Each structure stands twice: as C-alpha cells, then as structure tokens.
Amino acid sequence: MPDPLPNHPPTHLPPHLPKFDLHSHSTYSDGLLTPDALVRRAALRGVNVLALTDHDETAGLAEARATAQEMGVTLIPGAELSVSWEAHTLHVLGLGIDAANAELDAGLASIRSGRDARARRMAAGLAEAGIPGAYEGARNYVTSERLMSRTHFARFLVETGYAKETKDVFKRFLTPGKPGYVKHAWATLTEAVSWIHIAGGVAVVAHPGRYKVSPTGMRRLLGEFRDAGGDGIEVLSPSHTPAQFAEYSAYAREFGLAASCGSDYHGPGESWLDLGDLPDLPAGVTPIWSRW
Ligand code: AMP
Ligand code: MN
Ligand code: MN
Ligand code: MN
C-alpha cells in the first residue's frame, strides 16, 4: 500500500518558479502606494522578484529596497523613461539600474524638468475648455514635488465630476487633440537606452501594444531600438490582449529581444491587474531576467 502521507514533495508537480513583476509605480511618480506599502503588497501576493519603475524617477528605490529585504522579496531597481520617437511618446523601462549613476541621474532630471511647465500648459488648455483651476487641483494629488503627470490631472477631473473614470478622462481630455493635451519633447530613444546601459541596466520597450503605430512603424521602432542596443520587449502587460502576448513574443524572437512581464500597477482601484497577476511568459521567448 502506498504511503498516504509522503514526506517528500510530489514529483508530478512542476518545480516552484519565482513570480516576476517587473513594472510598478509608487508615490514617487503617479502610483498611490508608498514604496514600502507597494513592496509589502507584492510580498503578500506572492511576488518574488519586483521592479519598482517610477516614471523618470529613482527616488523611491531606497525605501523599496529596505522593505524588500525585510520581506524576502528581490527588488530590481528600475525606472520608466519617457521618450519621444517620431510623433509618439514611448516608455522605456530600465531594469537593474544603479540609481546612483550620475549620468542616468542627470538624464532623468532632464526628462523631469519640463513637467511643471507642461502641466501649466495643460491647465491652460483645460481652462479654455471651461475647466478652471486644474493646475492647483491636480497639484492636490501630487505625492512627489519632483513629478507631476497626466495621472494627477486625471484624478482631479474624476474627483470634480468632469469624467466618470480615469479611462474616460484620458479619452476626453488628456490625449492628442484634446484640450488638456500638450505636445512635449522627452528624451530620445538612443539617450534613454544609453543612460540605462551606462547605469548597468537593461532597456525594455514598455507596453508596445499601446503605441498607435502601423506594423511597419512597429518594425521600424523595434529595429531602431535594437540597433541602439535595446534589450527587451514587455510582452505581458495589462495594456495587451492575449493575442498581443503572442504577437509581441513573435516580435521579440524576430528582433532578437528578450521578453519581460509587468503589471504596471499604480494602486488599489486604479489598475487593470494587481501586483503579480500575470500569466507565465509564452514558450519560446528568452526571459529578460536571463540577461542580468
Ligand atoms: P505622463 O507621463 O504625464 O504623460 O502620464 C502618463 C501616465 O498616464 C501613464 O503612465 C499612465 O499612468 C497614465 N495613462 C496614460 N494613458 C492612460 C489611459 N488611457 N488610461 C489610464 N491611465 C493612462
Ligand atoms: Mn503612470
Ligand atoms: Mn507606461
Ligand atoms: Mn508604467
């Protein structure tokens, strides 16, 4: 008779794989949780490897690192860099960066530097459309003096009843052609990749499915990114449908880029996916963590 209580792990189950979530935000950019609370939540949700990737900012990493150590989570220091490419704004994740690197730090400061003037112009556009006080209103949602984003305007516009929910606000007020949208020059693609590399990180195109480019444009973008030394594509993202998981896996293989996965978590009630809520990477791609 077989032993009903085997004292060894069952051999028919796959070995435990670490759970990776390589894209998240804290109060140091437009997230709702402090780095401490974010890392605790990730740990409770079974995330083993978490990247904090605040927009154009690394100031939250020290706090995140301390909590990660306490909770037994591996913290990947990161940032999500705003980039202007052709007529588009792209986001490039730097993963495994040394936040103390002076060139990266100066690069991030230069990206952040235009944000306040941009916010004032956004508010002026909204005022013209009959929404006064948006700059001050959005400021009430800012949690780091160093960074004001469209998300803070979105929260203000929802609170004041101009839109029902965040998605709606972007569509009606904060995207190209709408009253609160302002064209802005961010870093170039080559600058972003080189700052990330100088700081010892790997560069990943975030949520490629969000960019309004044709298939030809996507190939041009990924070709330029790879030629600039770029390392990976975010294949699993809440911005993607399951069909796009497969589509961007195919692009990753075609361009010799690794694959990444991230929830892009911004906080309770504001995100499509919670921390760690991601399927496994599709078969046949090289995980980005094999590059560090
Ligand atoms: P910014 O860097 O100031 O242009 O703000 C970009 C941020 O706005 C993104 O990181 C998202 O957090 C948020 N965002 C952009 N588009 C949308 C959208 N359609 N729905 C919800 N949030 C969005
Ligand atoms: Mn954001
Ligand atoms: Mn993004
Ligand atoms: Mn993000």
Side-chain angles (χ1 to χ4, degrees):
M1 213 176 116
D3 183 353
L5 288 170
N7 61 2
H8 51 80
T11 50
H12 62 283
L13 293 176
H16 172 70
L17 294 171
K19 190 186 270 195
F20 289 82
D21 189 334
L22 300 177
H23 188 161
S24 68
H25 296 274
S26 78
T27 45
Y28 282 85
S29 62
D30 59 351
L32 293 172
L33 300 181
T34 61
D36 174 70
L38 181 84
V39 175
R40 280 178 204 284
R41 186 181 184 98
L44 291 174
R45 296 188 51 83
V47 174
N48 304 101
V49 184
L50 175 74
L52 173 60
T53 53
D54 276 314
H55 296 285
D56 311 322
E57 177 62 286
T58 58
L61 292 172
E63 181 183 321
R65 186 177 298 118
T67 308
Q69 225 156 39
E70 180 194 327
M71 301 300 284
V73 170
T74 299
L75 182 83
I76 304 297
E80 182 175 18
L81 279 64
S82 310
V83 163
S84 295
W85 178 81
E86 297 189 349
H88 305 279
T89 295
L90 311 178
H91 287 170
V92 176
L93 298 164
L95 299 175
I97 50 174
D98 171 13
N101 181 275
E103 280 180 75
L104 173 67
D105 197 46
L108 294 178
S110 75
I111 306 181
R112 286 193 307 269
S113 68
R115 280 184 173 272
D116 193 67
R118 171 193 187 233
R120 289 181 192 278
R121 290 180 58 205
M122 289 172 61
L126 290 168
E128 257 176 58
I131 302 174
Y135 180 82
E136 296 71 22
R139 286 284 300 175
N140 289 332
Y141 290 90
V142 166
T143 45
S144 162
E145 280 301 311
R146 286 154 58 112
L147 198 126
M148 189 160 183
S149 88
R150 280 186 293 162
T151 310
H152 302 112
F153 281 88
R155 289 180 187 141
F156 162 75
L157 290 165
V158 171
E159 176 216 6
T160 45
Y162 289 106
K164 267 210 224 50
E165 48 166 14
T166 321
K167 247 194 316 179
D168 201 31
V169 185
F170 276 87
K171 226 187 278 165
R172 289 174 51 203
F173 298 107
L174 302 175
T175 41
K178 301 299 157 66
Y181 185 79
V182 167
K183 248 182 99 174
H184 191 75
W186 305 103
T188 66
L189 191 57
T190 45
E191 281 173 334
V193 172
S194 69
W195 293 333
I196 290 165
H197 283 171
I198 286 166
V202 295
V204 172
V205 176
H207 43 61
R210 282 235 310 244
Y211 311 133
K212 298 201 168 20
V213 295
S214 64
T216 319
M218 182 55 68
R219 288 212 154 70
R220 200 163 59 244
L221 161 59
L222 296 178
E224 282 184 33
F225 177 69
R226 178 202 50 205
D227 293 347
D231 303 279
I233 302 182
E234 192 172 53
V235 164
L236 301 183
S237 160
S239 300
H240 291 172
T241 61
Q244 286 175 313
F245 298 165
E247 185 186 349
Y248 288 101
S249 295
Y251 275 121
R253 287 197 302 272
E254 178 184 339
F255 286 86
L257 295 164
S260 190
C261 57
S263 66
D264 203 359
Y265 186 70
H266 280 72
E270 286 214 4
S271 290
W272 291 100
L273 291 184
D274 209 320
L275 290 161
D277 261 352
L278 296 157
D280 291 338
L281 278 177
V285 295
T286 306
I288 190 73
W289 46 91
S290 72
R291 304 268 170 109
W292 59 60

